[in-house]
Amino acid sequence: MRLYFIYIVLFFFIANHSFAENKLVMITDERCIYCIMWEKQIGKIYHKTDIAENFPLHRIEIKDEKNIYLQAKVTPTFIFLEDSNEKGRITGYSYPEMFWWQVDEIIEQ
């Protein structure tokens, strides 16, 4: 049920945007320490990268204060969409080098 909620939110987010474009969807929570780390280490420079030109960042903020379990299990999650199809997914964040390595793996597919 908890994961179902995420899929509903993601569906409505995607439905409000063009299906023909590429994007990187970030599922985030303002109280998530790993989301905060990502924002400080990657988020402030992501828009300047070549990857951002092909996969612009779109954030989905989860604001369900009662569901701490859900927040801890899915944030941050990064979903790469290419022409409305999921190209790849990164669940969680640890440090910049690992993130960029995972991004490269997804982009090169």
Side-chain angles (χ1 to χ4, degrees):
M1 181 67 178
R2 293 178 174 119
L3 193 54
Y4 181 70
F5 172 75
I6 295 299
Y7 288 125
I8 290 173
V9 170
L10 186 58
F11 172 78
F12 283 113
F13 177 80
I14 294 169
N16 288 329
H17 294 84
S18 170
F19 280 100
E21 67 179 304
N22 299 341
K23 62 187 77 166
L24 170 58
V25 176
M26 177 185 185
I27 300 172
T28 185
D29 185 326
E30 64 186 18
R31 297 164 303 217
C32 166
I33 189 67
Y34 300 105
C35 299
I36 294 167
M37 287 172 44
W38 187 89
E39 291 292 352
K40 288 181 179 180
Q41 297 172 347
I42 306 292
K44 65 183 178 183
I45 62 165
Y46 182 82
H47 68 280
K48 298 176 183 178
T49 66
D50 292 338
I51 295 167
E53 290 180 24
N54 294 321
F55 292 92
L57 179 65
H58 298 273
R59 291 173 179 87
I60 297 177
E61 179 75 28
I62 297 178
K63 296 186 177 190
D64 185 1
E65 295 180 13
K66 296 176 184 173
N67 197 339
I68 302 302
Y69 176 80
L70 174 65
Q71 295 163 2
K73 285 298 211 183
V74 300
T75 59
T77 295
F78 304 90
I79 304 167
F80 286 83
L81 299 175
E82 186 172 69
D83 297 327
S84 78
N85 297 311
E86 183 173 329
K87 181 173 178 69
R89 177 180 299 233
I90 300 170
T91 304
Y93 176 75
S94 56
Y95 55 93
E97 292 81 8
M98 177 62 81
F99 176 78
W100 291 120
W101 177 76
Q102 291 173 307
V103 168
D104 287 343
E105 289 285 312
I106 291 169
I107 300 295
E108 292 173 2
Q109 290 181 9

